[in-house]
Amino acid sequence: MKHSVSLAINGSVHEHDVEARLLLVHYIREKANLTGTHVGCDTSQCGACTVLLDGLAVKSCTIFAVQVAGKEIVTIEGLAKEDRLHPVQQAFKNNHGLQCGFCTPGFVMATIQLLQRYPDPTPEEIRHQLDGNICRCTGYRNIISAIQEAAQHIAPCDTESGSPREGLVLNQG
Ligand code: FES
Ligand code: FES
């Protein structure tokens, strides 16, 4: 039996009939055709599938699509504005925070939540906050540098409101 699921991804409404067992990550990749969200494991450990769900970073392989009907999702494709990268993306680029790039969408999405909680994070805070994301290539040092640079380019956000948009409009004007 299929269920109709409607949700907003990067501001656009998507509606599809899906099996109850369909994971959100597969909805995003196969129904919405947004393939920037990756699948790097089948154990919920790698974080490559991280997206924002109503402003909170979640591993989209741990949630069924039917569970998030009516919610707002932001994926890596929703961050850049026209030809301008989001400050977190730009900082990863500037600091060589990626090599193969497979893990990068997940790190970037998790970083947005991190910077909402820690506007000026220490390396230890970054390591702790991103311990759910795994990178095989970089050795993490450049990722930490990227996040610290991003923090300097992003205005402190309103952590009180918890608004999902607060972290996404950071210095985008
Ligand atoms: S694919 Fe979701 S944590 Fe690895
Ligand atoms: S850049 Fe290759 S897995 Fe992180």
Side-chain angles (χ1 to χ4, degrees):
M1 178 181 166
K2 294 202 171 183
H3 304 263
S4 178
V5 173
S6 174
L7 47 84
I9 306 178
N10 303 331
S12 298
V13 175
H14 295 258
E15 189 163 356
H16 298 279
D17 293 334
V18 302
E19 300 279 355
R21 65 187 173 183
L22 185 75
L23 294 171
L24 177 58
V25 67
H26 295 308
Y27 186 101
I28 292 169
R29 289 179 55 84
E30 294 156 22
K31 301 296 182 184
N33 295 319
L34 294 167
T35 54
T37 301
H38 294 159
V39 180
C41 71
D42 58 8
T43 52
S44 304
Q45 288 181 310
C46 76
C49 62
T50 304
V51 299
L52 298 182
L53 169 61
D54 283 351
L56 296 176
V58 298
K59 292 179 176 179
S60 59
C61 73
T62 64
I63 303 168
F64 295 116
V66 293
Q67 291 178 286
V68 299
K71 305 281 190 188
E72 184 175 348
I73 307 290
V74 179
T75 70
I76 191 74
E77 290 92 343
L79 296 186
K81 288 203 169 172
E82 297 174 351
D83 61 350
R84 196 150 52 98
L85 294 176
H86 184 280
V88 175
Q89 293 174 306
Q90 187 65 51
F92 269 69
K93 181 179 180 209
N94 294 349
N95 290 274
H96 306 289
L98 64 152
Q99 288 182 24
C100 80
F102 192 87
C103 70
T104 311
F107 268 96
V108 169
M109 302 314 289
T111 295
I112 288 171
Q113 177 174 281
L114 183 160
L115 292 175
Q116 287 178 312
R117 294 176 173 172
Y118 296 86
D120 190 16
T122 65
E124 290 68 31
E125 288 168 339
I126 293 169
R127 286 193 186 93
H128 180 65
Q129 290 293 309
L130 296 186
D131 66 0
N133 292 72
I134 294 172
C135 176
R136 288 169 179 253
C137 304
T138 64
Y140 300 99
R141 178 184 289 242
N142 290 355
I143 290 176
I144 292 170
S145 299
I147 293 168
Q148 291 198 294
E149 180 185 298
Q152 301 312 308
H153 291 276
I154 293 174
C157 54
D158 180 6
T159 52
E160 294 289 313
S161 75
S163 165
R165 286 289 165 195
E166 294 291 348
L168 300 176
V169 294
L170 310 168
N171 281 6
Q172 288 281 287

